Amino acid sequence: MRRVAGLLLAVLASAGPAAAAGSRVELYPATPAPGEVFRVRVDAEQPVSVRFGGREFDLWPADGGGWEGLVAVDRDARAGEADAVVVGRDGRPLGTAPVPVRAREYPVQRLTVSEKLVTLSAEDRARADREAVRIRAALASRTPRRLWTGPFSLPVDAPVSSPFGTRRYYNGKRRGYHSGLDLAAPRGTPVAAPAAGRVVLVGDFFYTGNTVFVDHGHGLVTAYFHLDAVSVSEGDRVETGQELGRVGSTGRSTGPHLHWGVYLSGRKADPLSLVRATAGPAVGGGGP
Ligand SMILES: [Zn+2]
């Protein structure tokens, strides 16, 4: 990617000394890994988004001046330096900044389950396909404003039973990777909205059981799977801490737990990295 002359883009570890005249991009954390969310702060002339790894991530005005946004590294990205392109109003690049992507090893898990859950009947396949269309539409939500403030917190206070990103083999067949974070809370535990947003999809789905998707604005959507009961309806505005439902084991689940999913511009990301990126120190003086 060509670097735009006259535009100084420096990457700082955190709120560091003021950069020289020109524009700059700061990252928090400074070295994100594949599958992780990082926060950017951009000082440039009216930037609107950051293009990274083939997707576009919105920017919004930061509290302390400048612009800010959340970006996700693809789970299957390689470690090494990758360019983030700052995009201006008319879609033209304002400059690029190198993002040092550090290595992260994801575990492999081999599961043996009932064969009918691996090889679906025609009827179940048709149902799962119909549901996937609705889920994709929810993940494509692009509310052009930020509906949340403050850090994201865990929706239930429980230990992790399965981390994000684990590559899974079902009965020896390679499937996708684990798309969220499993929290081992008992059945009936209230699930709290980790931040404010708007409920964009509620359903009872083949794979994910009773499910809630919350749109937080600017392409950030969170998901709650396998719920025993749902406490909200599509279109509801929810505040931080509001009950979304109760932990259960509906859909393709082997026992009560909460599966928490995080999607940024449709890209799956490790929910723990969202908690870290939004809880970290203000970048360059601007809070989230
Ligand atoms: Zn899960």
Side-chain angles (χ1 to χ4, degrees):
M1 193 63 68
R2 191 174 67 92
R3 275 159 218 264
V4 177
L7 195 63
L8 173 65
L9 292 170
V11 180
L12 306 176
S14 63
S23 298
R24 62 180 188 177
V25 174
E26 296 170 24
L27 315 179
Y28 181 83
T31 55
E36 294 183 356
V37 173
F38 62 98
R39 190 147 53 108
V40 294
R41 183 187 156 88
V42 177
D43 286 327
E45 200 64 37
Q46 302 218 314
V48 295
S49 63
V50 168
R51 200 174 291 146
F52 184 75
R55 294 202 192 209
E56 205 138 330
F57 302 91
D58 287 0
L59 296 171
W60 55 81
D63 292 344
W67 300 75
E68 190 172 53
L70 295 171
V71 177
V73 186
D74 186 72
R75 150 72 170 74
D76 294 324
R78 289 185 181 189
E81 204 170 273
D83 275 338
V85 179
V86 179
V87 179
R89 273 185 165 173
D90 53 2
R92 92 202 130 89
L94 299 175
T96 66
V99 175
V101 176
R102 72 178 159 79
R104 176 173 171 179
E105 289 294 323
Y106 284 102
V108 171
Q109 192 179 24
R110 295 173 193 279
L111 301 162
T112 303
V113 298
S114 161
E115 192 57 36
K116 73 178 185 354
L117 288 173
V118 178
T119 308
L120 302 191
S121 68
E123 193 185 333
D124 285 343
R125 168 53 55 204
R127 177 186 166 190
D129 287 348
R130 279 195 307 275
E131 293 168 355
V133 171
R134 294 178 62 196
I135 291 166
R136 273 200 299 276
L139 296 181
S141 298
R142 289 300 279 247
T143 302
R145 63 186 190 284
R146 189 170 55 127
L147 303 177
W148 58 279
T149 54
F152 273 69
S153 50
L154 291 179
V156 294
D157 183 13
V160 172
S161 53
S162 180
F164 169 87
T166 303
R167 176 66 66 190
R168 284 176 168 175
Y169 288 77
Y170 286 97
N171 300 352
K173 295 184 185 116
R174 188 178 191 266
R175 288 290 186 261
Y177 57 84
H178 186 222
S179 63
L181 177 76
D182 287 353
L183 296 164
R187 186 189 306 276
T189 304
V191 175
R198 187 175 57 89
V199 177
V200 281
L201 179 61
V202 172
D204 176 9
F205 299 141
F206 177 77
Y207 285 113
T208 62
N210 290 320
T211 297
V212 173
F213 284 88
V214 177
D215 171 17
H216 301 279
H218 286 303
L220 174 58
V221 175
T222 57
Y224 309 83
F225 295 170
H226 312 303
L227 300 173
D228 202 47
V230 171
S231 316
V232 290
S233 305
E234 283 178 21
D236 285 359
R237 283 292 294 261
V238 293
E239 298 304 323
T240 307
Q242 188 174 330
E243 184 180 305
L244 301 174
R246 299 286 176 126
V247 170
S249 187
T250 54
R252 191 167 79 170
S253 168
T254 53
H257 71 282
L258 176 69
H259 171 109
W260 183 27
V262 165
Y263 305 81
L264 250 183
S265 295
R267 176 171 284 164
K268 299 168 203 137
D270 184 349
L272 290 178
S273 72
L274 175 67
V275 171
R276 282 194 298 267
T278 57
V283 179

